[in-house]
């Protein structure tokens, strides 16, 4: 088999070779936890070839080296974006938010009203619709949540989507999915945005889920949906275990509908509905 790069002599276009694909798959697994199986090769090849042609790069090894070099963050994030999708929406998989409204939040709001600390995390939050949905449900149940010690964190590996989430501006057709009172009309043709009362409940950060989590305290609920689908089984199991250890006893974990719980975390997480788990492990509450 030859791994030589194929260059269209007419257009001088770059085309990804098998060897390049293997190299990028290795990089993506090491740095993002992504599992790029060979059936992804056509998709990755066409997207990455387009990217390299856009950058006018003809030497793939140079491109690979630039990803690891100082200042390579921007291109790493571009690469991640073309290997994954940021698709999300407000109230996606609505029954997870019914559980939030009916089972998860009422006792947590009581806990916060008696001076307790409540933390909710949307891990792999993309452009922010998931953590803002959590915030809207919370605000509907507890309009004074902003005065209590209740905080929602949204994180994603991709700094571009984290910036979009922070800006909290969305096209009107997306905001049509949320209650009208939470839509603030943009001025002079700007997109509409989330109101301050919701924005102030959520903070955002860049975080790679395959690296050790930087938190001291534990969470009462974690939403990590449609993210682990990109990981291979050993990576998924590591991430599930890290979430389980980050949950208070009785804390909830919500995962995506195409994802499966497995590995050591499974024995501590009891099923509590579709793709919904409760941490049964004893530990110190924070
Ligand atoms: C399809 S979106 C899911 C958004 C939202 N959770 C939902 O279900 O609607 C997947 C997100 O996972 C993020 N992601 C992929 N690998 C990640 C990693 N290793 N650490 C953190 N986020 C990651 C991507 O950047 C993307 O924004």
């Amino acid at each position: 088999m030859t791994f030589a790069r194929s260059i269209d002599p007419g257009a001088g276009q770059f085309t990804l070779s098998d060897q390049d694909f293997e190299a990028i798959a290795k990089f993506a697994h090491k740095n993002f936890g992504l599992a790029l199986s060979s059936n992804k090769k056509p998709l990755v090849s066409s997207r990455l070839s387009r990217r390299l042609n856009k950058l006018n790069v003809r030497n793939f090894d140079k491109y690979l080296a630039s990803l690891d070099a100082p200042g390579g963050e921007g291109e790493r994030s571009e690469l991640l974006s073309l290997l994954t999708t940021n698709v999300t929406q407000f109230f996606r998989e609505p029954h997870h938010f019914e559980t939030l409204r009916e089972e998860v939040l009422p006792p947590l709001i009581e806990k916060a009203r008696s001076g307790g600390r409540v933390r909710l995390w949307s891990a792999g939050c993309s452009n922010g619709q998931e953590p803002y949905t959590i915030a809207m449900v919370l605000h509907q149940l507890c309009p004074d949540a902003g005065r209590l010690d209740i905080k929602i964190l949204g994180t994603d590996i991709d700094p571009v989507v984290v910036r979009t989430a922070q800006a909290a501006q969305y096209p009107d057709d997306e905001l049509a999915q949320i209650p009208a009172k939470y839509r603030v009309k943009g001025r002079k043709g700007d997109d509409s945005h989330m109101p301050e009362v919701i924005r102030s409940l959520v903070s955002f950060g860049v975080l790679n889920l395959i690296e050790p989590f930087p938190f001291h305290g534990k969470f009462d609920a974690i939403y990590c949906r449609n993210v682990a689908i990109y990981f291979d089984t050993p990576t998924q199991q590591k991430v599930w275990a890290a979430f389980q250890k980050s949950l208070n006893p009785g804390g909830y974990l919500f995962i995506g509908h195409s994802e499966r719980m497995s590995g050591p975390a499974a024995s501590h997480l009891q099923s509590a509905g579709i793709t919904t788990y409760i941490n049964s492990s004893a530990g110190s509450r924070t």
Side-chain angles (χ1 to χ4, degrees):
M1 183 193 296
T2 169
F3 288 128
R5 269 149 217 161
S6 122
I7 295 181
D8 172 347
Q13 295 281 289
F14 176 89
T15 308
L16 204 75
S17 70
D18 287 357
Q19 186 186 30
D20 299 337
F21 175 80
E22 298 307 332
I24 216 70
K26 208 166 150 196
F27 183 91
H29 187 260
K30 180 168 167 241
N31 290 276
F32 314 136
L34 305 184
L36 297 181
S37 51
S38 52
N39 63 350
K40 297 258 171 64
K41 205 185 282 182
L43 181 82
V44 172
S45 294
S46 87
R47 290 186 179 173
L48 202 53
S49 300
R50 227 178 299 141
R51 177 74 190 149
L52 266 72
N53 286 321
K54 188 171 176 205
L55 294 172
N56 211 14
V57 169
R58 295 282 175 276
N59 183 326
F60 182 79
D61 295 332
K62 255 194 191 160
Y63 176 74
L64 208 55
S66 77
L67 293 170
D68 263 334
E73 303 81 21
E75 191 51 37
R76 278 205 292 276
S77 142
E78 288 288 342
L79 175 65
L80 179 84
S81 295
L82 65 82
L83 297 177
T84 61
T85 147
N86 299 124
V87 171
T88 185
Q89 67 185 75
F90 292 103
F91 292 96
R92 184 179 196 182
E93 292 157 18
H95 72 92
H96 280 162
F97 299 101
E98 287 310 310
T99 306
L100 182 70
R101 188 191 315 277
E102 283 159 22
E103 293 172 31
V104 182
L105 282 178
L108 292 177
I109 292 169
E110 227 172 90
K111 173 176 143 184
R113 288 204 195 287
S114 2
R117 170 188 183 279
V118 173
R119 295 292 180 269
L120 308 158
W121 179 18
S122 163
C125 68
S126 186
N127 295 310
Q129 288 87 336
E130 186 175 87
Y132 286 132
T133 302
I134 298 172
M136 287 185 277
V137 175
L138 170 64
H139 185 259
Q140 282 174 330
L141 289 181
C142 180
D144 57 334
R147 290 200 291 276
L148 305 174
D149 189 7
I150 308 184
K151 291 192 170 58
I152 301 162
L153 174 68
T155 64
D156 200 282
I157 191 176
D158 183 345
V160 177
V161 295
V162 169
R163 279 198 293 279
T164 305
Q166 280 163 333
Q169 280 192 325
Y170 300 97
D172 285 341
D173 60 334
E174 278 194 48
L175 287 178
Q177 303 151 4
I178 71 170
K181 68 173 176 175
Y182 296 128
R183 290 177 229 148
V184 182
K185 200 90 195 117
R187 276 186 293 179
K188 293 187 202 150
D190 281 351
D191 279 341
S192 299
H193 58 271
M194 308 296 300
E196 193 48 36
V197 72
I198 297 300
R199 291 182 67 175
S200 61
L201 296 173
V202 190
S203 56
F204 290 97
V206 175
L207 190 135
N208 184 349
L209 292 172
I210 66 161
E211 289 173 0
F213 301 161
F215 310 118
H216 298 302
K218 297 200 178 198
F219 291 89
D220 298 287
I222 300 174
Y223 281 70
C224 184
R225 308 180 310 156
N226 312 302
V227 181
I229 195 169
Y230 297 110
F231 303 158
D232 57 19
T233 305
T235 309
Q236 279 185 7
Q237 293 185 350
K238 265 191 220 153
V239 172
W240 299 147
F243 285 143
Q244 187 271 323
K245 290 198 181 83
S246 304
L247 277 172
N248 277 322
Y252 281 73
L253 174 65
F254 297 92
I255 68 173
H257 283 180
S258 324
E259 294 159 349
R260 291 287 159 269
M261 177 54 56
S262 67
S267 50
H268 302 285
L269 291 167
Q270 283 173 357
S271 174
I274 303 166
T275 52
T276 304
Y277 300 88
I278 297 184
N279 183 26
S280 59
S281 182
S284 54
R285 259 191 189 271
T286 51

